[in-house]
Amino acid sequence: MTGTPKHSADDKPPLSDDSPPLAVQATVRLRIVGSAVLVGVLVATVALAGTSLAGAYAASVDTVFALGSLVFGFGLLGWSGAVALGRGIESMQNHLDTGTGWTEPDARRAMVRILGFGLGVMLGTMGFGTFVGSLA
Amino acid sequence: MISTRFVLKRLLLLVPVLVGVASLVFSILHLSPGDPALTIAGERASEEFVRQVEESLGLNDPIWVQYGRFLADAAQFQFGESFIIQRNTTVREVLANKLPVTLELALYGQLIGISLGIPLGILSAVKQDSITDHLTRIGALAGISVPIFWSGPLLILLFAQVLGLLPTSGRISVLYNVEAIRVTGLVTIDTLIAGELDMFVSAVRHMILPASVIGVYSMALISRMMRSSMLEVIRQDYMRTARAKGQGSKITVLKHGFRNAMIPVITVIGIQFGGLLGGAVLTETVFAIGGIGTLLVEAIKVGDYPIVQGTVLTFAFLFTLVNLGVDITYSILDPRIEQ
């Protein structure tokens, strides 16, 4: 884990003249969250479809949604932690000369992916549950 | 001067933290085994009655409806009524009764930790590798290593049983009715406000042992951190310059070194406070003090969802508030941190 940290458009400061326009930054962020949400929806749908076929639908809806909210909560806490403490941790690592390539923007991006996946699972469960409910 | 923008930014960060904690609590409670409706209704209750209980509690709604309702209620600090532990009592009321008990314990514990840890840490750093430094190190290591469930009973044995100096348990002597003078819920403060000196002395005597048990652990960490931080500061050029200009050693350390050495110590104090709130469970159990820690353990055991949710979120809220205080203190000690 000692590679050079990659900084993409959603890195925070410095906002210099060569930083990409806000629209581009928003698109990059949306793509990160959107792809994670889509994966979450897909996983939830597949899991619920599988358990429905196995005949354990009712209990699995609760379990899958709860697992989704667990992942979502973890991601949200991680993201908040990265925003609140990330710069400090980076500076500390530089100060102590113990840099591992960990950066605040990378941590935020990773956490956004995790919370997006959790949100996707929750949304997928809601969608699947509502669909099955309408059939019944 | 602290900028409003800095404080607002920190306050805004409280929102995702609390939503994150709420989601974690909700999911863990729903993933854990046990059916609250069955617990309330009793194992011999009919299926129909269990279903009625589920309906009255909203437990038969889809889980996402329960989640949304929980988040909306949590935003208003409404967690409903306790299912089992104190039926027909709102979680707010239960917390209002129990929280001051734990807060008082944590505050006095922290006070002891800070008031002993900081001077001992400075002393160790200034007299590095002396007998004082070694003794402080041994004391700190013992303080960190000895668990509360062992040091608590030992202190009770020595100070209550053998010497008979201090009471063994409770918050105040059973002779006094502290509820009659309740204002803040903190017994030592309420007795002072009421001007009841006898009661105040009794409350302080009851507080000494549990607060010391917690405080010694806190003191150990604070003194170690203060020592290493002060050692680093003492070697800085500006400290040498101050001494070279003829300033006394004590003044140099206290005037120039202390403030700069405090920054990492403040972090430890902030994290410690959160730990004290959570770690008070053992102390409350050993000294038979009915605080929020024992309430949480009891609520988890019997599956009282609203109490568990309310207590954990209160802990999270207090912890994040303390950390906000830590951030603000940072920016006072070193204004560059705001940038």
Side-chain angles (χ1 to χ4, degrees):
Chain A
M1 286 291 290
T2 49
T4 315
K6 280 178 258 167
H7 293 273
S8 72
D10 67 335
D11 289 2
K12 238 195 319 195
L15 281 173
S16 56
D17 288 344
D18 55 347
S19 58
L22 283 175
V24 177
Q25 289 186 30
T27 313
V28 171
R29 284 174 187 176
L30 265 178
R31 204 174 54 220
I32 290 173
V33 182
S35 57
V37 170
L38 273 179
V39 172
V41 170
L42 202 71
V43 168
T45 312
V46 170
L48 286 173
T51 49
S52 301
L53 290 175
Y57 168 73
S60 62
V61 169
D62 281 11
T63 308
V64 172
F65 187 89
L67 283 173
S69 68
L70 186 74
V71 175
F72 173 72
F74 175 78
L76 202 54
L77 276 179
W79 179 85
S80 318
V83 171
L85 307 170
R87 299 266 154 174
I89 294 170
E90 258 188 79
S91 312
M92 192 183 75
Q93 286 196 340
N94 291 334
H95 177 69
L96 297 174
D97 201 19
T98 54
T100 54
W102 185 95
T103 62
E104 187 251 0
D106 286 346
R108 267 191 298 126
R109 239 186 336 261
M111 286 303 161
V112 159
R113 283 204 172 102
I114 291 174
L115 81 86
F117 175 75
L119 190 65
V121 172
M122 289 159 79
L123 290 174
T125 315
M126 263 174 74
F128 195 89
T130 314
F131 173 70
V132 172
S134 67
L135 290 179
Chain B
M1 209 41 209
I2 320 149
S3 77
T4 321
R5 193 168 173 267
F6 176 76
V7 177
L8 275 178
K9 202 177 151 191
R10 290 293 179 198
L11 275 175
L12 269 179
L13 264 179
L14 284 179
V15 180
V17 169
L18 291 177
V19 174
V21 172
S23 299
L24 285 180
V25 173
F26 178 86
S27 55
I28 289 169
L29 281 179
H30 277 79
L31 287 170
S32 57
D35 181 1
L38 198 65
T39 316
I40 295 167
E43 280 182 17
R44 273 182 270 175
S46 65
E47 209 169 299
E48 195 186 342
F49 183 62
V50 175
R51 228 173 289 131
Q52 274 178 7
V53 175
E54 273 181 355
E55 202 169 325
S56 67
L57 297 173
L59 294 173
N60 56 351
D61 289 332
I63 189 168
W64 47 89
V65 175
Q66 292 181 48
Y67 178 71
R69 195 168 47 218
F70 168 62
L71 285 188
D73 289 346
Q76 303 164 60
F77 212 74
Q78 299 279 4
F79 299 100
E81 289 183 355
S82 163
F83 288 169
I84 300 150
I85 291 182
Q86 289 188 28
R87 285 193 188 191
N88 303 323
T89 313
T90 61
V91 174
R92 259 189 184 188
E93 285 170 328
V94 176
L95 289 178
N97 275 329
K98 300 283 185 183
L99 189 59
V101 180
T102 304
L103 265 185
E104 190 172 37
L105 194 60
L107 282 174
Y108 283 112
Q110 192 70 297
L111 203 68
I112 290 173
I114 294 171
S115 55
L116 291 178
I118 289 179
L120 282 177
I122 295 175
L123 206 65
S124 284
V126 174
K127 295 182 183 289
Q128 192 189 2
D129 293 331
S130 67
I131 188 79
T132 318
D133 185 24
H134 294 315
L135 283 177
T136 314
R137 184 183 299 146
I138 291 167
L141 285 176
I144 294 171
S145 315
V146 176
I148 287 171
F149 58 80
W150 192 71
S151 60
L154 274 189
L155 285 177
I156 291 175
L157 198 66
L158 177 65
F159 289 99
Q161 300 291 322
V162 178
L163 299 174
L165 291 173
L166 296 166
T168 52
S169 58
R171 298 177 75 201
I172 196 164
S173 167
V174 286
L175 299 171
Y176 303 116
N177 178 17
V178 77
E179 284 306 312
I181 55 162
R182 186 187 169 97
V183 181
T184 60
L186 310 174
V187 185
T188 48
I189 307 290
D190 287 350
T191 49
L192 267 186
I193 291 172
E196 299 283 354
L197 200 64
D198 289 353
M199 288 172 86
F200 174 72
V201 171
S202 173
V204 169
R205 289 184 70 234
H206 278 78
M207 186 54 70
I208 290 174
L209 283 184
S212 301
V213 167
I214 289 189
V216 164
Y217 181 76
S218 180
M219 176 270 285
L221 283 179
I222 292 172
S223 71
R224 294 312 293 163
M225 183 51 82
M226 189 75 215
R227 179 185 180 273
S228 57
S229 180
M230 186 56 91
L231 276 177
E232 197 175 313
V233 168
I234 280 173
R235 293 176 190 134
Q236 297 292 317
D237 289 345
Y238 60 84
M239 294 289 282
R240 204 176 302 127
T241 309
R243 277 196 294 271
K245 281 167 75 181
Q247 198 167 53
S249 182
K250 272 184 197 164
I251 296 173
T252 311
V253 168
L254 294 177
K255 195 176 171 189
H256 300 291
F258 181 69
R259 192 179 166 122
N260 290 308
M262 273 305 282
I263 293 175
V265 181
I266 294 284
T267 314
V268 173
I269 292 173
I271 294 168
Q272 267 288 300
F273 189 76
L276 288 185
L277 284 174
V281 179
L282 279 173
T283 319
E284 286 172 11
T285 310
V286 170
F287 291 94
I289 302 170
I292 203 168
T294 39
L295 174 79
L296 178 62
V297 172
E298 193 61 30
I300 291 171
K301 266 193 221 164
V302 296
D304 199 334
Y305 284 10
I307 296 265
V308 177
Q309 289 166 341
T311 312
V312 173
L313 275 179
T314 307
F315 271 145
F317 184 65
L318 283 175
F319 191 67
T320 42
L321 268 192
V322 169
N323 277 296
L324 175 71
V326 167
D327 284 345
I328 292 171
T329 317
Y330 275 164
S331 62
I332 293 169
L333 289 171
D334 187 353
R336 287 173 302 177
I337 287 169
E338 269 188 51
Q339 304 310 315

